[in-house]
Amino acid sequence: MTLRAPGLERRIRAELEARIRSGEWPPGHRIPTEAALMAEYGCARMTVHKAITALAASGLVTRNKRAGTLVARPHVVTAVLEIPDIGALIAARGETYAFTLLAREVRAPATDDPGEAALAAPDQVLAVCGLHMAAGEPFGLETRIISLASTPDAETQDFTHEAPGAWLLRHVPWTEARHRITAVAADAGQARRLGLARGAACLQVERWTWRAGAGVTFARQLFPGDRYDLVAEFGPGR
């Protein structure tokens, strides 16, 4: 039986989607060109084009003029009120995680940074800057300060391999937290480190934690806007 264009379009879409969802084509995989798919299915370019357009609309693939059509990287999703371990989230979706340390120093608290000042660290802090990597590509840029008055053991950690957030979650209990989430445009330095164009839309998450009223840490994390989702579930009275 010869399939008409609408039926063949649905078949092409279904078969390509099956390869993506099964993991045969992992995130970042370049799918065959429209010309190759035309030859494989013996159809017109418009039929293939519509099938791929539908996959792009559903978020399964992304189109890039230079790189071609690639399997999209699924968003990392966390609840707004959680403090996530980014490495564990990336590993859970089947990708290799790594943390790259960019800078580390012990210094006095910076009173000219409102985010840092809000932590009210009374003594020296450990300032760490690093890059979260997923499957060998930049995922998020993090700058973090840790109060050494409340967390003195942090000073002996070099954080060359383990992200400070993961270490804190394992070693330092917290009793209070605050999040602030904003949309920002990446500046030149941020864009370079994240592999983005300057001014690209990003999600900025700022997070403070305290233990019994004493500041523990303040983190400012920057994620490309297409890679991270924050969600909240609630109902009346919650």
Side-chain angles (χ1 to χ4, degrees), residues 89-168:
L89 293 174
I90 290 173
R93 69 179 192 181
E95 294 185 316
T96 302
Y97 169 78
F99 179 76
T100 300
L101 181 68
L102 301 175
R104 180 190 185 281
E105 67 169 330
V106 175
R107 58 169 172 78
T111 57
D112 58 346
D113 183 327
E116 187 168 332
L119 192 65
D123 205 341
Q124 288 189 312
V125 298
L126 174 64
V128 179
C129 179
L131 194 62
H132 298 278
M133 306 288 292
E137 296 183 2
F139 176 80
L141 180 65
E142 176 177 310
T143 56
R144 178 184 294 271
I145 67 161
I146 302 171
S147 170
L148 294 179
S150 61
T151 317
D153 290 348
E155 189 170 3
T156 62
Q157 306 301 311
D158 61 15
F159 298 119
T160 54
H161 300 294
E162 183 178 29
W167 182 86
L168 286 164

Side-chain angles (χ1 to χ4, degrees), residues 68-85:
T69 302
L70 308 177
V71 177
R73 297 188 180 281
H75 288 204
V76 165
V77 180
T78 61
V80 173
L81 299 181
E82 289 182 351
I83 297 182
D85 180 341

Side-chain angles (χ1 to χ4, degrees), residues 14-26:
E15 291 184 0
L16 298 184
E17 181 173 342
R19 294 179 185 180
I20 293 170
R21 295 195 183 279
S22 69
E24 178 184 346
W25 289 351

Side-chain angles (χ1 to χ4, degrees), residues 16 20 25-34 49 51-75 137 224-227:
L16 298 184
I20 293 170
W25 289 351
H29 177 84
R30 183 182 294 104
I31 74 170
T33 63
E34 289 188 1
H49 180 77
I52 295 177
T53 298
L55 292 175
S58 65
L60 289 174
V61 301
T62 59
R63 285 170 158 170
N64 185 300
K65 289 183 178 180
R66 293 184 179 180
T69 302
L70 308 177
V71 177
R73 297 188 180 281
H75 288 204
E137 296 183 2
D226 62 350
R227 300 180 196 171

